[in-house]
Amino acid sequence: MLTDFVLLGLWASLATAHGTVSGVVADGVYYTGYSLNFQYMNPIPTTAGWSIPKDQSLGPLTPDQFSSPDINCHVSATPGQTSVAIKAGGQLELQWTPWPESHKGPVMDYLANCNGPCETVDKTTLQWFKIDGVGLIDNSVQNGKWASDVMIANNNSWTVTIPADIAQGNYVIRHETIALHEAGSQNGAQAYPQCVNLAISGSGTAKPDGVVGTALYKATDPGILINIYTTLSTYPVPGPTPYSGAVSLSQTAPPAPTASATGVPAL
Ligand SMILES: *[C@@H]1O[C@H](CO)[C@@H](O)[C@H](O)[C@H]1NC(C)=O
């Protein structure tokens, strides 16, 4: 009974919520991401998606939290306990729960090498390098056509290419949408970072430089403090310049996965 009651409360809060990455598809294979429901299960499912049980409202991080370790992988995040297998050069599709159309903004992806198993990594040591960043796509439509609109149009999903030249290893992907509908006032932007462990195989050697999560953004960055309800000629995607090996992919409707897996051990 108590469990039913808790779940009811949870569903009520989901009705007004924003989103999380519920699953990923790596080279055609589906892996579960994270769901708030997991904390009420026994045993709690083992997933490559990082756990964020305190994100009860599926809510955002605001610029006053950009200097908190929470900015790495969302509020009180703890590492996923398995990994998604993918080859360098492969494509990873990130599936969001239905994203609200009003939450317009950029979509970005970062990687950080765990230099060991990601299952036990200290998130404050992760050095993120950007592998993808798309913001305003068309300023001629009302309020603009944004990366978030493309994500919604493609089954609430976004596909990113893992750079082909990076060294084999265990990495965390930090996938993020920043909603700008209230970003015209200080502290109004809403960041939704989501993390998943990847076991990346390949023969590349590149070890791109990155920055720690707390160095990614500032509250006054021009892509963070911005009124999107004017005609913008350009939009500066927040955060560091993308890695030279980053691939700009044109998003298309993703094919259905051909298999599913729970996860693979760290490399
Ligand atoms: C669309 O997304 C849902 C999950 O959000 C997933 O179950 C479904 O397989 C996806 N459809 C395709 C064609 O990938």
Side-chain angles (χ1 to χ4, degrees), residues 22 30 93 95-97 155-156 254-257:
S22 60
Y30 177 85
E93 177 200 338
Q95 298 182 339
W96 284 89
T97 51
N155 194 29
N156 296 294

Side-chain angles (χ1 to χ4, degrees), residues 127 142 186 257:
Q127 305 258 328
Q142 194 182 7
Q186 185 86 24

